[in-house]
Amino acid sequence: MNVAAILKAKGSDVVTVSPTATLGEIAVLLSERRIGAVVVMQDRKVLGIVSERDVVKAIARNGAQSLNAPVRDVMTARVVTCGLNDSIDELMDSMTMGRFRHLPVIEGGELAGIVSIGDVVKHRIAETVMETEALRLYIANG
Ligand code: AMP
């Protein structure tokens, strides 16, 4: 199973914000949309990614006033991305190595979706269940 199969199931919608959005606005967005990260975009280009961890870190460091700070001050600018043909194993390696739970998908230079660790776990479990069932049938009929 690869990224294309994951996006086929979940869709290609990505919640994006401009670099001037405030951390307070991001907090509302993350809560309302029930997501853990948003992609920061300008002129159709990915500028960065900001997750709930960044919001918590900023508040821990500078208090509630950080909710007025623009997201460009706290986002991670070096975004690791994935492609439609990447496998679930590659996604898991990338998330484990980078210690993050979100991977924007880039296709033809454009943002084409986002995969979270929740999506990866869900599809990995589905794959394992299918393999187990195939083996069970093979043994039962063998
Ligand atoms: P997360 O585990 O996704 O909540 O993110 C943990 C930290 O990694 C935060 O500082 C994020 O800004 C950053 N981060 C999340 N996703 C990525 C990514 N794909 N590339 C680089 N940094 C990321």
Side-chain angles (χ1 to χ4, degrees), residues 10-137:
K10 73 170 275 198
S12 57
D13 273 5
V14 187
V15 179
T16 64
V17 293
S18 83
T20 54
T22 65
L23 281 200
E25 289 166 341
I26 304 290
V28 171
L29 205 50
L30 295 178
S31 168
E32 282 180 356
R33 304 296 291 265
R34 297 167 177 240
I35 52 175
V38 294
V39 176
V40 184
M41 302 271 289
Q42 193 165 44
D43 301 330
R44 298 175 71 92
K45 279 209 190 88
V46 173
L47 287 192
I49 188 163
V50 64
S51 88
E52 52 204 2
R53 290 240 171 116
D54 300 309
V55 179
V56 169
K57 224 189 293 173
I59 293 171
R61 202 178 296 143
N62 296 317
Q65 65 182 11
S66 19
L67 292 174
N68 298 318
V71 66
R72 63 167 170 254
D73 289 357
V74 300
M75 70 185 189
T76 302
R78 289 181 63 174
V79 184
V80 179
T81 61
C82 63
L84 288 176
N85 294 323
D86 289 0
S87 67
I88 288 186
D89 283 350
E90 285 169 318
L91 300 185
M92 290 198 304
D93 282 352
S94 192
M95 287 181 179
T96 305
M97 300 264 291
R99 292 170 174 264
F100 47 65
R101 297 165 292 177
H102 299 89
L103 275 170
V105 184
I106 301 292
E107 180 61 19
E110 300 269 332
L111 184 63
I114 189 163
V115 177
S116 76
I117 198 161
D119 302 321
V120 171
V121 169
K122 184 174 154 190
H123 285 82
R124 165 56 89 215
I125 289 173
E127 217 171 41
T128 306
V129 167
M130 279 189 312
E131 279 166 12
T132 307
E133 183 59 13
L135 276 174
R136 203 185 60 75
L137 285 173

